[in-house]
Amino acid sequence: MSSTSEVGHAKNVANLQKIIQQVSTYSLYNPPIADITVASLQTLYTDANAKLTDVGDKRNANKNTIVARQTAFKNLSSTCTSIINLLEIVGLPQGTLDQARSLVRTIQGSSGKSNTPVEDGKEAPKSSSTSRQSFSSKAENFGLLLQMLSALPAYTPNEDSIKLQNLNSYHESLRAATLLVDQTESELNTKIIERDRILYTEETGVYAISLKIKKYVKSLYGATSPEYTTVSAIEFTNRK
């Protein structure tokens, strides 16, 4: 993956359009190689700009699923607390109760929380607690807790929110929310690869093409010419 910032990628594409507009005004600009003709450059710009748009769309989709996952998991801790509170009064063997408590502690982790505000669409910063569970791990352990509940005849809550059928539905919603984040992240990664390919591939990427344009203008007008000085000042950044 490129370490160039998102602003840097967009600037490269914007400057490609700028250099195309500039060389289009040069009467001598008639390159002998196809990939730096004005027509080819315009096609490259259109394709590169489309890849930037694709990345932006997939990034927004990923952010939206992250927010949705945060919302889905918001009540998980309090739900587990309600379950344990009921289990503590139904006369379970101590070993069974301890097992349920252990699962809940794993799901909930430490109560330590960060006061750092969460940026829009980003994950909440992790606390310094010993629990750094991923969302998928929390959902998995919640599923194990529900399996335990299904085997306990004494678990017969009157509250709808912790009835087993509703808990199973909630568990499925947690899994679905997590899978959507994974899916949109994979799609985003693919679009980033495609964008980087069109911007930074050797010989044919936007950065490589910009160097060819500048060298050709230099050969036409000379290193001290205003024509070359103008195009050489249009900056392009290679990935690091």
Side-chain angles (χ1 to χ4, degrees):
M1 294 293 176
S2 170
S3 62
T4 306
S5 71
E6 293 305 311
V7 173
H9 301 308
K11 185 176 180 181
N12 280 340
V13 176
N15 282 349
L16 175 61
Q17 183 182 42
K18 185 175 182 180
I19 204 169
I20 292 170
Q21 292 171 336
Q22 187 61 53
V23 299
S24 295
T25 68
Y26 292 166
S27 59
L28 298 182
Y29 191 85
N30 185 26
I33 54 175
D35 57 0
I36 61 170
T37 63
V38 170
S40 294
L41 293 176
Q42 289 172 335
T43 298
L44 179 62
Y45 168 75
T46 299
D47 293 344
N49 196 52
K51 294 303 181 185
L52 284 184
T53 299
D54 288 344
V55 169
D57 290 344
K58 293 301 182 182
R59 193 179 302 282
N60 287 333
N62 181 240
K63 287 180 179 180
N64 289 339
T65 59
I66 288 172
V67 171
R69 182 177 64 181
Q70 290 172 333
T71 301
F73 276 79
K74 182 178 180 180
N75 295 324
L76 178 59
S77 180
S78 60
T79 297
C80 288
T81 298
S82 296
I83 292 169
I84 285 296
N85 287 341
L86 179 60
L87 293 181
E88 288 177 344
I89 64 171
V90 296
L92 294 178
Q94 189 61 44
T96 302
L97 186 57
D98 288 345
Q99 185 179 359
R101 285 172 174 163
S102 177
L103 281 171
V104 168
R105 282 195 300 269
T106 301
I107 294 166
Q108 293 178 331
S110 170
S111 60
K113 296 181 180 179
S114 169
N115 292 321
T116 305
V118 181
E119 294 183 41
D120 183 29
K122 292 189 177 181
E123 299 286 5
K126 292 181 174 61
S127 72
S128 58
S129 76
T130 56
S131 173
R132 295 181 180 272
Q133 299 295 322
S134 68
F135 286 95
S136 58
S137 178
K138 288 183 178 182
E140 180 182 355
N141 283 305
F142 186 57
L144 293 176
L145 178 62
L146 299 190
Q147 288 178 13
M148 176 183 292
L149 297 181
S150 68
L152 298 177
Y155 187 77
T156 56
N158 292 322
E159 297 77 18
D160 286 341
S161 62
I162 57 172
K163 287 182 178 179
L164 195 56
Q165 181 178 354
N166 293 332
L167 291 176
N168 283 327
S169 296
Y170 180 45
H171 177 234
E172 286 304 312
S173 73
L174 298 181
R175 292 182 67 252
T178 300
L179 288 173
L180 274 177
V181 172
D182 293 342
Q183 177 184 332
T184 57
E185 183 177 332
S186 296
E187 292 172 354
L188 170 60
N189 288 338
T190 296
K191 291 303 179 182
I192 288 174
I193 291 170
E194 292 176 1
R195 177 205 63 196
D196 286 358
R197 186 174 292 133
I198 198 169
L199 292 183
Y200 305 112
T201 296
E202 291 185 13
E203 298 297 325
T204 60
V206 167
Y207 179 78
I209 291 296
S210 73
L211 297 180
K212 292 182 182 181
I213 295 170
K214 292 177 181 181
K215 288 178 181 178
Y216 178 60
V217 171
K218 184 178 180 180
S219 73
L220 283 178
Y221 295 99
T224 60
S225 66
E227 289 85 357
Y228 175 67
T229 300
T230 300
V231 297
S232 65
I234 301 174
E235 295 184 354
F236 292 83
T237 305
N238 197 8
R239 62 180 174 183
K240 298 177 181 179

